[in-house]
Amino acid sequence: MTTSVQVKTHLNYINGEWVSSLRNKVGAAINPANKNEIVGYVQCSTGEDVDRAVAAAKRAQKEWRRLSGAERGDYLYKIANSLERRLEEVAETMTREMGKTFPEAKGETMRGIAILRYYAGEGMRKVGDVIPATDSKALMFTTRVPLGVIGVISPWNFPVAIPIWKMAPALIYGNTVVMKPAQEAAVTAAKIMECMHEAGIPAGVVNMVTGAGSEVGTAIVNHSDVNGITFTGSNATGKQIGQAALARGAKYQLEMGGKNPVIITADADLDLAVEGTISGGLRSTGQKCTATSRVFVQAEIYDAFKEKLLEQVKEITIGNGMEGTSWMGPCASENQMKTVLSYIEKGKAEGARLIYGGERYTENGGENGFFVQPAIFEEVTNGMVIAQEEIFGPVLALIKVESIEEALTQANDVEYGLSASIYTKDIGTMMSFINDIEAGLVRINAETAGVELQAPFGGMKQSSSHSREQGQAAIEFFTAIKTVFVKA
Ligand SMILES: NC(=O)C1=CN([C@@H]2O[C@H](COP(=O)(O)OP(=O)(O)OC[C@H]3O[C@@H](n4cnc5c(N)ncnc54)[C@H](OP(=O)(O)O)[C@@H]3O)[C@@H](O)[C@H]2O)C=CC1
Ligand SMILES: O=C(O)CCC(=O)C(=O)O
């Protein structure tokens, strides 16, 4: 097990400098695999710290937007190189701070590097179109301008990838940023800022203020000089942010929960389906908005699928994510663990049959961490809470269906619409799934999780504010279009 990361007090990053919060108070970040281990200390900031960061971002924006896309891209390449040099350290910090296994944390950090390089390249791509004017002597075209200052509010479940997939496009299109990471992932976020600093990004272009969402997050959302807010997290918080932004006329983008289904048809490759269900539902301890949570299985193969699934889930090793033997780490916090355990209790109380796991895991030193065994329920009906609400934990609900139509109807019968997958060999079934499933991310013979950085990402229904992040879709949020008519 590597233990190279020093425990230190991380400061806010404002106007190119590392500064304490004006309140001068810090909070300890603890390891969810061992609550006695402190990973670092982070600032518990106030609205006044946000004011300073926003003022710095506003000042820096004029110069930053004047640079060419290629010049801004050069900074992103340098940030990517710095993150690459610190890959192991950042990944280890992530594992120790929020629990995901080291290989997953490393994979996520590499994804962050790839996102930075992708958007660095975007600085050289077209930003507008020439549109024929009705006047033959005129030239009409569109161009794009940055929004100004962007508030980035990010969650703890992807501490590197999510802040980067919000900040990199914001920056490349000429915006400046004030970032508030989840307090539970703020040490890892500070490492990203260190990479930005190392890359020599001009003072004020990127700023980070850590602290409670109810204080720091709210201050960003309500600040009149923050022109756009991009958020990933819970529906309750997302809706509040959307309403507050709308009330003062700021642009907003919300990525929220999921209750993602997988359908296993009678002709599915069962080994592949079991592998995808386990990986989609239980990797990262189920703490992905794209995690599989409802498993619709056709009656003909239900028993065979269940047997294989149970066989393999029993093999899952739980433990500290820094141990090479651990397949699944802890929940990210005590609160998250309690939420998951309470959903498991609700499932039992509502009459679903728990056929595997679902207890707090306390073996091999686990009593000091926030571990939960994977839980597999069957006899779940669509009206149950565990079939409707986002659990964000390692819980799978098996639902037996007679037909693909029944599976589709039930799969759509939730308020969310983020991702969905089907395992089938039949092209007709694939086509009806693509057409009829209500989800922004549709996957065939592949797990529900797994977002490609170059493709649009976002959900339908209550899963998002109906916008898309990542890939070239990001330009829609981070810029405004100007239509220009030139008459010589
Ligand atoms: N879609 C997804 O990827 C995610 C979904 N979730 C869902 O949300 C549940 C709860 O997780 P939780 O961490 O509480 O999620 P939140 O939505 O509360 O947190 C997400 C981010 O928003 C910040 N925040 C909280 N309240 C406000 C506010 N009033 N104004 C502005 N920003 C705010 C948080 O800060 P801080 O936490 O530092 O106070 C954090 O940075 C999970 O169980 C899961 O179901 C959670 C994370 C990611
Ligand atoms: O599935 C993924 O890779 C991304 C998931 C995600 O965006 C999230 O959980 O917030």
Side-chain angles (χ1 to χ4, degrees):
M1 196 191 325
T2 339
T3 48
S4 55
V5 182
Q6 280 177 351
V7 175
K8 61 177 219 179
T9 299
H10 298 273
L11 300 172
N12 287 333
Y13 186 62
I14 298 177
N15 203 28
E17 290 175 356
W18 298 100
V19 290
S20 303
S21 86
L22 294 169
R23 180 186 276 143
N24 224 352
K25 184 179 164 212
V26 294
I30 58 161
N31 184 342
N34 174 6
K35 62 180 186 228
N36 301 319
E37 182 191 324
I38 290 178
V39 179
Y41 296 90
V42 290
Q43 303 300 309
C44 299
S45 311
T46 66
E48 273 181 85
D49 296 301
V50 170
D51 291 343
R52 288 180 166 201
V54 174
K58 192 176 174 187
R59 276 195 307 275
Q61 208 256 329
K62 282 201 185 82
E63 282 303 310
W64 181 247
R65 67 173 292 184
R66 277 196 200 119
L67 296 182
S68 67
E71 285 168 320
R72 288 193 293 267
D74 276 345
Y75 284 106
L76 296 196
Y77 282 123
K78 285 183 189 145
I79 300 164
N81 294 345
S82 168
L83 188 54
E84 194 163 50
R85 276 193 299 277
R86 298 177 64 170
L87 172 65
E88 302 270 324
E89 175 204 341
V90 172
E92 182 181 337
T93 305
M94 190 192 310
T95 297
R96 292 176 59 211
E97 187 175 30
M98 58 69 68
K100 74 173 62 172
T101 64
F102 185 61
E104 285 180 282
K106 231 170 133 174
E108 184 188 331
T109 309
M110 291 193 288
R111 180 163 150 193
I113 295 162
I115 295 168
L116 283 159
R117 292 188 174 138
Y118 173 86
Y119 282 108
E122 273 300 284
M124 300 284 276
R125 295 202 184 97
K126 71 167 195 142
V127 291
D129 297 302
V130 174
I131 299 157
T134 45
D135 181 337
S136 62
K137 295 197 179 67
L139 170 66
M140 188 161 69
F141 62 94
T142 59
T143 185
R144 284 176 183 268
V145 290
L147 299 185
V149 177
I150 301 290
V152 169
I153 301 179
S154 56
W156 42 261
N157 63 331
F158 281 87
V160 168
I162 293 180
I164 288 181
W165 86 46
K166 292 176 182 302
M167 289 192 287
L171 294 173
I172 199 66
Y173 300 127
N175 303 282
T176 53
V177 166
V178 176
M179 203 259 285
K180 189 220 105 50
Q183 202 64 343
E184 271 147 10
V187 175
T188 312
K191 304 265 169 188
I192 305 175
M193 288 298 134
E194 287 171 13
C195 295
M196 303 245 177
H197 188 66
E198 239 173 66
I201 194 137
V205 168
V206 190
N207 306 272
M208 179 188 75
V209 182
T210 62
S214 53
E215 195 165 2
V216 174
T218 308
I220 292 176
V221 172
N222 293 328
H223 202 298
S224 56
D225 286 333
V226 174
N227 309 95
I229 298 137
T230 171
F231 165 86
T232 298
S234 66
N235 271 58
T237 304
K239 290 229 166 90
Q240 275 178 35
I241 290 177
Q243 279 162 1
L246 181 69
R248 66 173 184 84
K251 199 169 176 183
Y252 62 92
Q253 174 185 61
L254 314 170
E255 276 316 323
M256 302 175 286
K259 192 67 195 167
N260 312 301
V262 56
I263 299 176
I264 321 288
T265 64
D267 71 349
D269 175 331
L270 278 199
D271 290 326
L272 198 66
V274 166
E275 188 191 317
T277 303
I278 292 177
S279 179
L282 307 177
R283 276 277 179 211
S284 283
T285 321
Q287 301 170 127
K288 295 184 189 178
C289 57
T290 49
T292 306
S293 87
R294 298 175 297 144
V295 189
F296 296 96
V297 190
Q298 265 196 291
E300 297 95 302
I301 45 121
Y302 183 87
D303 289 335
F305 174 83
K306 180 173 98 176
E307 199 180 309
K308 267 183 194 282
L309 182 77
L310 286 175
E311 233 169 60
Q312 291 185 32
V313 170
K314 283 177 188 158
E315 297 299 313
I316 287 178
T317 46
I318 303 170
N320 185 327
M322 287 309 296
E323 308 277 0
T325 48
S326 305
W327 188 94
M328 194 174 95
C331 298
S333 65
E334 186 165 16
N335 265 349
Q336 199 56 38
M337 176 187 74
K338 285 184 178 158
T339 304
V340 173
L341 290 172
S342 79
Y343 272 113
I344 292 169
E345 287 311 310
K346 270 184 208 152
K348 290 195 270 187
E350 283 185 314
R353 203 155 80 86
L354 184 65
I355 53 173
Y356 183 78
E359 299 287 329
R360 186 169 175 183
Y361 176 86
T362 53
E363 287 166 37
N364 306 320
E367 70 278 7
N368 289 323
F370 310 130
F371 298 97
V372 176
Q373 296 168 333
I376 315 283
F377 278 103
E378 69 172 351
E379 294 171 19
V380 176
T381 57
N382 237 26
M384 291 179 182
V385 170
I386 59 163
Q388 290 293 324
E389 292 183 12
E390 181 175 54
I391 299 175
F392 233 57
V395 182
L396 290 169
L398 304 188
I399 303 169
K400 196 191 283 188
V401 286
E402 296 304 324
S403 66
I404 293 161
E405 292 68 35
E406 185 190 348
L408 263 169
T409 306
Q410 290 200 39
N412 284 336
D413 183 24
V414 284
E415 62 175 9
Y416 295 108
L418 188 54
S419 69
S421 90
I422 192 166
Y423 284 84
T424 181
K425 297 193 186 90
D426 183 76
I427 185 90
T429 306
M430 288 177 198
M431 293 312 291
S432 2
F433 183 74
I434 294 166
N435 286 329
D436 297 337
I437 194 72
E438 293 165 1
L441 189 64
V442 178
R443 315 243 310 156
I444 315 289
N445 294 321
E447 64 178 79
T448 55
V451 169
E452 301 255 350
L453 64 97
Q454 69 281 23
F457 171 57
M460 295 169 69
K461 303 200 282 191
Q462 302 293 312
S463 289
S464 87
S465 54
H466 313 289
S467 47
R468 294 291 180 265
E469 296 190 278
Q470 303 204 62
Q472 294 196 343
I475 199 170
E476 299 301 335
F477 178 72
F478 291 107
T479 64
I481 294 179
K482 277 187 180 171
T483 304
V484 185
F485 180 91
V486 185
K487 181 89 191 271

